Structure formats: structure tokens, C-alpha cells
Amino acid sequence: MSPAVEAGPGASPGQPAAIAAVNVTKRFPGVLATDAVDFCVWPGEVHTILGENGAGKSTLAAMLCGLYRPDEGHIERDGKQVRLRSPRDGLAYGIGMVHQHFRLVDRFTVAENVVLGDPHQARILDRRAIEERVAEIGEQFGLPIDPRAVISQLTVGQRQRVEIVKMLYRGADVLLLDEPTAVLTPPEVEALFTTVHSMTAEGKAIVFISHKLGEVMAVSDRVTVMRAGAVTGEVATADTNQRHLAELMVGHPVEIGTRRGSNIRADVALSATGVTVIDGDQTLVDNIDIEVHRGEIVGIAGVSGNGQRPLARALAGVITPTSGHVTVAGADVTGKGPKAARRAGLSFVPEDRLGTGLVPGLSLTDNMLLTRPRGFIVDRRSARAEIATAIDEYEIKTPGTEVQARNLSGGNSQKVLLARELAGLGDPGGPQAIIVSSPTRGLDIGAAEFVRGLLHDARERGAAVLIISEDLEEVRSLSDRIAVLYRGRIALEGATDELPFESIGLAMAGVAHEEAP
Ligand SMILES: Nc1ncnc2c1ncn2[C@@H]1O[C@H](COP(=O)(O)OP(=O)(O)OP(=O)(O)O)[C@@H](O)[C@H]1O
Ligand SMILES: [Mg+2]
């Protein structure tokens, strides 16, 4: 039995859904991740799952592709009940998932990754035939990719294409994309949507997960909204709008807006002078000057891989720049290590949240304690109170303060890290400056708005804020000033209100300002 929903635009009458979850419930210790959820996608349709962090979106997708098994309820493929014991089973039924964290082998080529672990692949690999087929699929669906390129040399956007090609190569007719646009630049998002539409034109069914309402409106035929594991609404995109979707998600009216301050002070709380980072024969950061004043938010825009990561690490003291100087609140911290930078008043939210940000195997309380100055008697009780407050304020979905960080959903682990790093920002005794990579990446609109509010408050209270992000919308909505990073240099810089969107986009692509049409 399929859920009683009208067929999508690509479906012919009487056709069963390509895939359906029927009354699926999934529990984790202390958490009801999905609660009797019905969901289905018709061939030729894009169906978005929308919901706050921890709402159960990834869990639902994981059950649809065979990664998790439902505790109750079942999955149907073309109207027939199927039992999926693994993602391999899912693929045998033509169901493929592209996870937010890619699962490619770095030192293998595109073609090698595509066939790696493919049960249908003949034992003796005909390399040329595989490469031809990969190129062919790329051409057909607008996923240009060199089958012989080695993964480690590809950008994040190109890696995502490889993941999609891999699923198509293995015959997936149902594709699940978990927050695919979180890692893409605006032109890459456009290209992905073209690909999605060429897939639905072929009758494929697409499940799309995203927090960005504009995108959801642009790409989907239908939207299912989840909240705390349950479905709160299912609507056709044609019958809804962003505000309505936001309300379904959060449960009350939401204001979607930005505010820019004019509280900039004369003194500089974070500066880089001539910072250069050379690794072997590669110049990753090339003679960069940045000044962030108290009361100011500066955004570094750019496509990933243009020096953002080494620049942030050099500023935060994680690596020593080859030349140049870094100061925090007037103190020269160059080459003195991350603890010295912290002592001088710098907070740092790195790009890789789990790993250098949070320790997955430690509890939330212990993660809060990690960056406390040593030498005190460790005060677990105050750390626990702090995380408990954060759970409240950030609406972090977790059964408790002693849960391991690895059990949190993508967005919720980010909230924990932000809570730790933003604590006291802008207060007299707190951090004076912060460097934060992609502050709202992966956050639902409520949490994103809350974090934007925190950063704006910190600015009003005189902190210097440096944001680094590939998401141009994010940079523009938060920053007073923008600098575009291209090949380790600042290609364009100016007040946000005075830089046209197109000029920023061109600078990100390496087209000089003067050459712009
Ligand atoms: N392997 C796991 N072990 C324990 N709890 C889990 C596990 N996976 C998910 N959960 C919990 O289930 C709930 C739903 O998580 P899920 O990852 O599906 O959320 P999501 O909607 O994808 O959120 P986000 O937008 O933050 O990615 C969360 O409370 C999460 O902490
Ligand atoms: Mg998720």
C-alpha cells in the first residue's frame, strides 16, 4: 500500500511511487528520530525534505537507501515492499544516496571510484570502457568530469559530481541528495539544478534535502516538512511560499532578514600584515593584509581551495605563516600557537567541525571544557551548566549533556561548537575577535537566524568578526565589508553595499574587476 498522495508532474495515472516510506519509525537511545513517517516520491519528481536540525531528515533518507533499517513500518519500491539490509541492497533496487560527507578514495581516479565496490562490475576491469561510460553519463546529465582525474585534485563541487555519476553508473533511478548545495558556489548550484532536471526528465525520482528556502522553491515539485521526527506538512511547491514553509518548519511566524550596523570603531582587534603561507613549492596564501575593526564584520568570500583554510589557520595560530604578522587585540601572536592566540582574545570556529572543532568521542560537556585554560581545577559543573544553557538557547536536539558529540545530527553538532566559541564574545572579559568558517552552514533557519543575531550582537558590543565562507549569500547577509580570495590573494575588496553581486561572482571565478562586462 502506498500513501494516498496525488502523483507528481512526471507520473502517469495509476503509476506507483518510485519509492515510499510507509509509517516508518526509527529510535536511537533517548531519541525518536522518525515517528511514523509517510513519504513518497514519484518518477520524474523532485521531493524536498525540509526541517530543523535534528528533525530526522538524514535518518529518513538513510532508511530509504538501506543504510538504516526502520524499527517499525517499511519501504516500498514501485509499490512493492522491499527489505533493504544495506546501501548495497538499496543500489540493487536502483536507490542511491549522495551523503553530505563524501565517501570517495582520495588517491584513486574518478573512474576507479565509480566502480569501487560495485557488485555488478566484472572482475576484470575494462578501464577504457569504464572511462567512456563515465564520460557519457557526465555528458548526458550535465556533469562534466574527467574520468582519469585523481580525486585529491578535484574541488568539492567536482567531487559531488563524481558521487552523482557513481550512483547513475550503478543504475540508480532514485537519488537521495543530503544537503548537496551546502558545499557549492552559486554557479555550481545552478549547474546542479540543471542536472537534477535532466534526471527527472529521464523519469528518475529525486529526494532533495536542504535548509535554503529559495533553493527549495526553485528546485522542488513537492516539499515534506518534518519537525521533531514527525511530518508537519506536505505541500506542492506551486501552492506555497518561503514564509509558509518557514512557519511549517519552526511552528510559528519567522522573520527572514538582515541588519547591518554602523558601530565600527577605530581600533583594530584582528590584523594580518603581509601574511604568506608557502607549502613546498606552492604559495597558498600570498602576502595578505586584513584589518578587522572592533564593531565590524568582514567576510572573506571565494571558492574553496583558494587559500581560505591556510589563511584561517595562520590567523588562529594553528600554523606559523612563512612570513608576515598576525595581531589579536594589539598583541603580536605570530607563530605562538593557538593557545597564545586564544589567550590574546581570539575565538576560532574551523571549517572541519568534527576533528579540529569537536572531539566526536567526548561528551558535550567535555567538548565545552576542551578550550578552557588549563591549570585550573577543571570545573565540570560549570561546563555542564553552560552546555545546558546552550541546549536551551540554540535549541540543540540531544537527549542530554553527556551524549557523545558523534551522535548529534550535522546541524546540532555545529550548534555545540558555535556555543562554545561564541560564549562571551563581545563581553569585556570574553574573546575580542572571532574567526568563523561558514557560520550558518547546515543550520536550519531558526538556528541560522539565532547565530546571525549572536554575531551581530557581538559586533554591536565591540568584537571584531571575520567570516570565511563559500556561500556568497551568507557572506553578503552578514558582512559590513567583503574581500574576495582568489589563488591566495585578495582579488576584490569593498563595502558590501557597494560591491555588485556580479563583480563578486566574477572575482571569485578569477576574472579581474576591470575585465567585467
Ligand atoms: N547514529 C545515531 N545515534 C544516535 N542518535 C542519532 C544517530 N543519528 C541520528 N541521531 C539523532 O536522531 C535525530 C535526527 O537526526 P538526523 O541526523 O536525522 O537529523 P537531520 O534532520 O538530518 O538534522 P541536520 O539538519 O542537523 O542534519 C537527532 O536527534 C540525532 O541526534
Ligand atoms: Mg542531516
Side-chain angles (χ1 to χ4, degrees):
M1 187 200 74
S2 292
V5 187
E6 272 178 48
S12 50
Q15 196 177 9
I19 192 163
V22 182
N23 207 22
V24 293
T25 293
K26 179 76 188 171
R27 296 183 193 88
F28 292 113
V31 182
L32 185 55
T34 67
D35 184 5
V37 166
D38 283 332
F39 175 85
C40 77
V41 196
W42 304 93
E45 182 191 45
V46 182
H47 192 154
T48 293
I49 310 174
L50 190 65
E52 300 187 301
N53 298 129
K57 305 178 296 293
S58 296
T59 304
L60 174 59
M63 287 188 283
L64 290 168
C65 79
L67 185 62
Y68 292 161
R69 260 164 293 173
D71 297 326
E72 284 154 37
H74 66 267
I75 305 299
E76 289 179 4
R77 174 82 169 106
D78 291 332
K80 291 188 201 72
Q81 182 170 341
V82 290
R83 191 178 296 238
L84 307 173
R85 274 156 307 211
S86 66
R88 184 178 280 226
D89 266 6
L91 267 169
Y93 282 103
I95 307 158
M97 176 148 172
V98 175
H99 296 269
Q100 195 173 351
H101 303 285
F102 303 149
R103 302 174 170 200
L104 299 169
V105 182
D106 264 9
R107 60 202 160 80
F108 285 7
T109 67
V110 169
E112 284 162 353
N113 268 281
V114 165
V115 296
L116 194 73
D118 180 0
H120 302 304
Q121 191 62 51
R123 281 174 71 98
I124 299 161
L125 298 183
D126 179 349
R127 183 174 289 273
R128 174 158 309 165
I130 296 164
E131 288 174 357
E132 271 171 19
R133 181 77 190 117
V134 166
E136 210 174 276
I137 293 171
E139 195 138 312
Q140 185 184 356
F141 294 102
L143 297 158
I145 199 84
D146 173 6
R148 295 186 192 175
V150 176
I151 298 298
S152 61
Q153 284 163 4
L154 301 182
T155 64
V156 179
Q158 289 170 324
R159 287 176 202 213
Q160 184 179 73
R161 278 185 230 151
V162 178
E163 289 279 14
I164 298 174
V165 166
K166 181 165 132 186
M167 293 304 151
L168 293 170
Y169 183 96
R170 297 178 183 194
D173 287 323
V174 175
L175 272 115
L176 306 140
L177 309 174
D178 195 353
E179 296 195 40
T181 61
V183 295
L184 301 181
T185 59
E188 286 175 328
V189 171
E190 288 292 313
L192 175 68
F193 286 1
T194 307
T195 295
V196 163
H197 288 129
S198 66
M199 293 194 291
T200 51
E202 295 285 311
K204 295 186 189 294
I206 311 291
V207 177
F208 186 87
I209 298 177
S210 171
H211 289 292
K212 299 181 186 169
L213 296 174
E215 286 178 10
V216 169
M217 291 301 297
V219 77
S220 359
D221 299 301
R222 271 191 302 148
V223 183
T224 285
V225 184
M226 291 180 72
R227 185 166 162 72
V231 172
T232 56
E234 191 194 302
V235 286
T237 318
D239 302 334
T240 188
N241 57 45
Q242 294 196 30
R243 198 162 290 276
H244 178 223
L245 288 176
E247 282 192 41
L248 277 178
M249 226 170 107
V250 187
H252 56 80
V254 191
E255 199 183 316
I256 310 170
T258 63
R259 68 200 148 101
R260 227 163 253 146
S262 50
N263 197 22
I264 300 179
R265 303 182 199 166
D267 50 334
V268 170
L270 175 66
S271 82
T273 320
V275 166
T276 299
V277 178
I278 298 174
D279 181 21
D281 56 1
Q282 276 192 308
T283 303
L284 304 177
V285 176
D286 195 357
N287 196 20
I288 282 196
D289 295 326
I290 297 172
E291 286 190 337
V292 189
H293 297 82
R294 290 185 184 279
E296 183 185 38
I297 301 183
V298 173
I300 305 266
V303 177
S304 117
N306 277 288
Q308 289 92 334
R309 194 176 136 86
L311 174 62
R313 286 158 64 88
L315 290 174
V318 180
I319 57 172
T320 303
T322 314
S323 58
H325 286 276
V326 178
T327 68
V328 175
D332 190 325
V333 296
T334 319
K336 293 185 182 156
K339 282 184 193 156
R342 232 169 236 289
R343 270 198 302 276
L346 183 74
S347 269
F348 179 41
V349 180
E351 186 182 30
D352 40 347
R353 322 283 192 200
L354 285 176
T356 52
L358 296 181
V359 178
L362 287 183
S363 72
L364 303 186
T365 302
D366 289 331
N367 268 292
M368 292 303 272
L369 281 168
L370 273 183
T371 51
R372 295 285 176 83
R374 310 246 160 172
F376 297 148
I377 297 165
V378 176
D379 189 357
R380 270 196 115 250
R381 191 178 297 172
S382 84
R384 189 180 299 165
E386 208 170 284
I387 183 68
T389 308
I391 288 171
D392 223 37
E393 287 186 347
Y394 286 73
E395 299 186 6
I396 298 170
K397 307 277 189 321
T398 170
T401 57
E402 303 314 303
V403 168
Q404 287 185 2
R406 67 158 59 90
N407 288 343
L408 261 51
S409 78
N412 281 308
S413 50
Q414 173 155 350
K415 291 181 188 177
V416 173
L417 180 59
L418 285 166
R420 186 182 77 199
E421 296 299 314
L422 295 180
L425 191 66
D427 293 343
Q432 306 303 301
I434 182 167
I435 301 169
V436 44
S437 287
S438 310
T440 61
R441 183 184 68 196
L443 294 186
D444 59 56
I445 50 170
E449 200 46 41
F450 180 68
V451 167
R452 273 194 284 271
L454 284 178
L455 292 174
H456 282 132
D457 283 353
R459 172 184 63 186
E460 297 311 308
R461 283 185 275 138
V465 181
L466 184 71
I467 286 162
I468 303 175
S469 173
E470 291 162 56
D471 181 343
L472 191 46
E473 273 311 317
E474 173 173 59
V475 172
R476 278 166 48 98
S477 71
L478 275 167
S479 317
D480 302 303
R481 209 147 49 84
I482 294 181
V484 179
L485 203 59
Y486 181 73
R487 297 206 172 147
R489 293 187 188 192
I490 291 177
L492 181 68
E493 193 178 357
T496 307
D497 296 333
E498 287 158 20
L499 287 179
F501 192 82
E502 296 72 40
S503 310
I504 303 176
L506 289 169
M508 283 170 69
V511 182
H513 201 34
E514 303 75 60
E515 294 167 31

